[in-house]
Structure formats: C-alpha cells, structure tokens
Amino acid sequence: MSTRTKIAALAMAGAVSLAFSLPALAEGNLAIYAWADSISPEMVAKFEKETGIKVTVDAFSSNEDLLTKLQAGSSGYDIVTPSQHFVKIMIDSGLLEDFGASSMAAYSQVLPDWQKPWWDPTGNHSVPLAFGNAGYTVNRDLYKGPVDSWKTYFEPPAELHGKIASLAQPDEVIPAAENYLGIKYCSEDPQEMKRVLDLLLAQKPFVAAYSSDNIENRIGSGEVAAHFWWDGNTMRLRRNDKANVEYAMPKEGLVGWLDSYVVPKGAANIENAKKFIDFMAQIDNATAQYNYYGHSSPVKIDESKALYNKENAPELFPTVPVKMGQACSPAAQELVTKVWTQLLQ
C-alpha cells in the first residue's frame, strides 16, 4: 500500500470510526403531545442520542382537549396519545394517519389481548402505550371508612362533605356513575341519563373542586379527602411520597382505559414517529417506561426488572370488574354533554 493510499485508507477509517463513535447528526424533529408526565424523559433522551432526532413533548390533561386541537387542524404534532374511545372517534373522523402500525416491529411486542381491538380493528392506526383504570382515591389520614363501593364517592358520608374532588371532564366520571347505577355505558335513554344527572347534582354540594390538574397535591396534602383519579397515579403518590392514600376497589366496577400512540393526519415527521414507537416498544425501553409511568404495560416487558407487582402495587391489579370506556353514538354523546353541562352550570 502506497503512502498516499495509506493516508486515504486512514482517512476513510477515521471517518467510519467517527460515524460510529459520535451521536448521529441531527435527523430531524419529532413533536409529541401526550398525557402529562406519561413519557419517560430518560427514554426521550436515549432516543435523541441514538437517532439524532430532536424530540419535544407537550402535555394535555384531557382527551377532549386533544380532540379539539386535532379538529382545529394542523396540530403540529407527529404523535399524540389518546385513550381508546377517542382513538375510535379520531379514526372515524379521519383525523389519524394509517401508518401501518400492525406491520411494525413494535406491534409484535403488543400483548395478544390488545392487538386489533374494537377501537382500531385493523391495527393500522395505533400502538398501545399503557393501560389502567379510573376510580377514586382516599386520604386515609382524613377518612377511615369503607372504599368498597362507589356509594362512598357519589353519596358521601358526612365526614367527606366538602372534601371530595372530581375531574373536569366527563368521559370517565359519567361511566363511573353508570357503573354505580347499573346503567350501560353510552345509554341513549334520556331517563337513564337523568338518573346520572340527579346523582351528580346531589353529590355536587359536597364537591370542593372539579379539576384534572394538580390532583397529586390536592389529595396528598389533605386539601381533600377523596379524589377521582387513576390507579398508577395513586400508586406513585403512595410509594414515592409516602402519602397515606388508598385506591378504592368499588364492587360495581372500575372504568378501564388504554392509551395509544397514534399519528395525526398530515403529520410532518411520520417516519420519525414510527422510529420512536418502535424504540419505545423494545423490551428494555418498554420496561423503563413502565417503571417510570407506573401504569400497566400492554407491550412485553422484562418482568425481572419491573418495579411493580401485585404485592407492592395492588392498584395495578384490580380485584373488581374493569369495564372499558366506550365510544358513544352521537345520540348518547349528546346526552353525556347535556348531563355535564347542566352539572357545571
């Protein structure tokens, strides 16, 4: 090999070495709009380092807010994470991309129970992110009574008067009320929905706040003694902050949910979105995401590295029926909206 060739070869070797030793050059952007604190910052940083893709994550606090943003058009986001009934609504409304999810590597990691569900029967519009249930939490420093029924929450005893808080949107509160009253979700019967309204109106004088923000501080500090909330959030508050809270197991049933990665119609960075979804479904990354978020994982994880189990996180393993929230017909949704509007007047 001549000196000139050696120099050229060394230069080539150096270039190849450099390519593998430094982070990839910027490969574009990825904009995510997800439930608050639902995506592991550690996994986002790892993804950015491995791919060179710059990620931004913004937060929403209700499915309704997310739907409104997508309906307005040009959301600017490449991935959003709605719950199952809103995935159905968004598909039917033409708001999501068919990005061939079921043929992606990520989909092979999805547990059988969550493949091609009713809200995405082709499996091409969504990849599951997390699942859990909605119920209520009590602060045991303030309330010592039973939590085995929705009666405690919707028809509270005197010690809870003025010390209950609800969410600011109806999509899980009304199904919970329907569970308590024995009414099927998405009823189109005005008389049944009047029973729901009457129940919520009777509860209202005892409700200190209708808010989906700052729940952790409100229940953890004892500002209220009971709060409509979610399983994993209660678990994290109990474990991380040592708060004396307990997640109720109402015999009438909890409201199930599953959030998914979906791609809004017209997203600018669809290929980057697919890379991120595949990345998050890799078993080590999915395990890290599970350990961060604290809600159940619908994709395979490494159980030997999982932080939560039946013994230390009973909230994630309900002992009562869990009934998944539904996408209501227009007639049923009109009644839901009417109930909620009249409640908050």
Side-chain angles (χ1 to χ4, degrees):
M1 183 181 292
S2 69
T3 301
R4 189 174 186 138
T5 305
K6 283 182 181 178
I7 292 172
L10 287 171
M12 180 65 72
V16 171
S17 174
L18 193 63
F20 282 96
S21 61
L22 294 177
L25 296 175
E27 295 291 347
N29 300 305
L30 177 67
I32 300 173
Y33 193 40
W35 289 96
D37 302 320
S38 64
I39 305 294
S40 164
E42 178 187 355
M43 289 300 98
V44 170
K46 183 180 177 183
F47 177 76
E48 288 182 319
K49 184 176 181 180
E50 289 188 6
T51 64
I53 296 169
K54 176 62 178 175
V55 180
T56 58
V57 181
D58 294 333
F60 62 82
S61 59
S62 78
N63 283 303
E64 288 85 352
D65 289 347
L66 170 59
L67 179 62
T68 299
K69 187 173 283 291
L70 296 193
Q71 287 174 328
S74 303
S75 70
Y77 293 105
D78 305 303
I79 292 176
V80 299
T81 62
S83 303
Q84 75 288 343
H85 44 326
F86 278 75
V87 171
K88 169 70 172 168
I89 293 169
M90 290 171 185
I91 291 174
D92 291 347
S93 302
L95 295 173
L96 301 182
E97 291 282 350
D98 176 344
F99 62 101
S102 63
S103 63
M104 291 170 56
Y107 216 82
S108 65
Q109 298 297 103
V110 177
L111 300 178
D113 285 352
W114 302 115
Q115 292 187 1
K116 299 184 179 179
W118 59 262
W119 53 88
D120 183 13
T122 68
N124 283 333
H125 294 82
S126 64
V127 174
L129 187 166
F131 72 94
N133 54 79
Y136 68 97
T137 298
V138 295
N139 184 317
R140 280 305 194 188
D141 291 333
L142 300 174
Y143 174 71
K144 309 293 185 185
V147 291
D148 59 349
S149 169
W150 279 109
K151 183 177 179 63
T152 298
Y153 183 76
F154 286 119
E155 299 181 289
E159 60 197 294
L160 289 178
H161 288 183
K163 298 180 180 178
I164 283 178
S166 183
L167 299 183
Q169 68 280 342
D171 69 317
E172 287 167 323
V173 176
I174 286 182
E178 290 170 329
N179 281 348
Y180 178 50
L181 296 173
I183 297 172
K184 290 183 178 179
Y185 293 166
C186 298
S187 172
E188 296 182 2
D189 183 339
Q191 292 306 310
E192 288 187 334
M193 293 309 290
K194 184 174 185 307
R195 290 177 60 203
V196 172
L197 176 60
D198 289 345
L199 178 72
L200 295 177
L201 285 174
Q203 181 204 35
K204 186 175 180 179
F206 312 130
V207 177
Y210 291 91
S211 173
S212 301
D213 300 321
N214 202 31
I215 297 174
E216 181 174 308
N217 290 331
R218 196 175 295 117
I219 186 70
S221 69
E223 180 181 334
V224 297
H227 209 307
F228 202 102
W229 216 16
W230 297 281
D231 53 344
N233 300 74
T234 298
M235 184 272 292
R236 293 203 307 271
L237 180 63
R238 181 177 55 77
R239 283 175 58 94
N240 298 341
D241 295 349
K242 310 303 179 189
N244 189 16
V245 295
E246 180 178 350
Y247 192 66
M249 290 290 165
K251 58 191 176 188
E252 301 89 354
L254 295 159
V255 183
W257 57 264
L258 182 142
D259 298 334
S260 295
Y261 300 108
V262 301
V263 177
K265 201 74 171 182
N269 302 293
I270 295 177
E271 291 307 312
N272 288 350
K274 294 171 70 172
K275 288 178 182 175
F276 184 80
I277 294 168
D278 275 339
F279 171 86
M280 293 297 283
Q282 294 172 20
I283 195 160
D284 283 347
N285 298 338
T287 306
Q289 166 66 18
Y290 171 74
N291 288 340
Y292 168 79
Y293 194 27
H295 288 290
S296 299
S297 175
V299 299
K300 298 170 187 172
I301 60 173
D302 184 343
E303 298 290 347
S304 69
K305 297 178 182 176
L307 294 180
Y308 314 123
N309 53 52
K310 287 184 179 180
E311 286 68 38
N312 65 22
E315 298 92 341
L316 307 188
F317 302 89
T319 56
V320 297
V322 177
K323 306 173 186 177
M324 293 294 290
Q326 302 292 311
C328 296
S329 67
Q333 188 58 45
E334 184 178 349
L335 290 174
V336 168
T337 301
K338 188 175 294 184
V339 166
W340 200 253
T341 300
Q342 291 185 26
L343 173 67
L344 298 187
Q345 282 178 345

